Amino acid sequence: MQDRRSGNIVILTGAGISKESGIDTFRDADGLWNKVNIEDVATPEGFARNPAMVHDFYNERRRGLLGDNIRPNAAHAALARLEAEWPGEVLLVTQNIDNLHEAGGSKNLIHMHGEMFKARCEDCHAVHDWREDLSLQTHCPACEAPGGMRPHVVWFGEMPFDMDRIYAALSQCGLFLSIGTSGNVYPAAGFVQEAIFSARAHTVELNLEPSEGATLFAETDYGPATEIVPRYVDKLLAEGW
Ligand code: BV8
């Protein structure tokens, strides 16, 4: 069992942590997946069928993330403070493709579903930092080939990134903290069971409302992330879990 005041922590975040920064979630009433059909815009099949439509979908979201009004909130800042002040290892695994955790100061971070500000060439597989629109006319800066660029984002049916590193961290954590995710999407939604069975970790859910996996957590707190995450980080730093 890990020491509750210094053991390793794995944090999983979802769209809920960025909601108060002005970024839509996916499954709330005003969520993204209620406005577009997942199969059309977030699968490799959808991209193959209509790449221009998928580029438009991501170009609009990428432009939105570049707005001056989109900034990290108190929950992002609290997780960066935890990483800086906690005596043990803190690994932050996010399902989000925005860059608010980095902007909020987190460093030990995995974007398991990719990043909106990166683009990948399907011809040479080079990954580039990217803030402009993408289209079928976009040339790859590395191999010069046109038409092969796509968002460096994990679509449904594709393998999330860094899974080995994530499962290794889950098997050695004393605390698994899930924040702002509905627990609908796998393999992320299965991390809580992995932490319980492979590390006998203490598990905590911080969310606006109970997620699909709420009953699996030993401890829960519900409310807006900007309120409950800083409060929980203060408690963790003062007395452990
Ligand atoms: C995989 C990037 C194999 C794109 C995303 C058939 C065929 C193939 C696969 C499957 C299949 N059936 C099932 C699957 C598996 C599938 C899956 O889980 N489907 C679901 C729908 C059933 N998963 C996959 O395909 C994954 N790959 O399985 O590969 C494999 C298996 C095992 C191990 C390795 C590999 C790939 C999934 C990744 C898809 N890409 N995103 C993009 O962003 O455009 S997923 C998408 O949902 C989002 O990106 C997001 O990351 C993810 C999860 O959503 P949440 O973050 O939880 O957001 P949501 O809106 O749902 O919830 C928000 C929560 O916040 C709510 O609970 C709300 O109450 C709360 N909240 C709101 N406001 C606040 C708040 N909380 C706090 N404060 C607030 N203010």
Side-chain angles (χ1 to χ4, degrees), residues 13-17 19-20 25-28 32-33 38 42 57-58 61 95-97 113 153-160 163 167 180-187 206-211 223-226 228:
T13 62
I17 201 169
K19 173 80 172 178
E20 291 163 89
T25 62
F26 294 89
R27 294 170 185 83
D28 286 331
L32 214 47
W33 296 151
I38 285 185
F57 173 66
Y58 282 93
R61 284 172 70 193
Q95 299 175 88
N96 301 339
I97 62 175
H113 291 165
V153 160
V154 178
W155 285 326
F156 286 96
E158 295 185 323
M159 180 75 83
M163 292 307 294
Y167 284 122
T181 180
S182 64
N184 273 290
V185 174
Y186 289 84
L206 304 178
N207 207 46
L208 190 63
E209 61 200 8
S211 73
T226 54
I228 62 176

Side-chain angles (χ1 to χ4, degrees), residues 99-113:
N99 68 337
L100 294 183
H101 281 304
E102 300 89 323
S106 288
K107 295 176 175 51
N108 195 18
L109 172 62
I110 292 177
H111 277 278
M112 66 178 288
H113 291 165

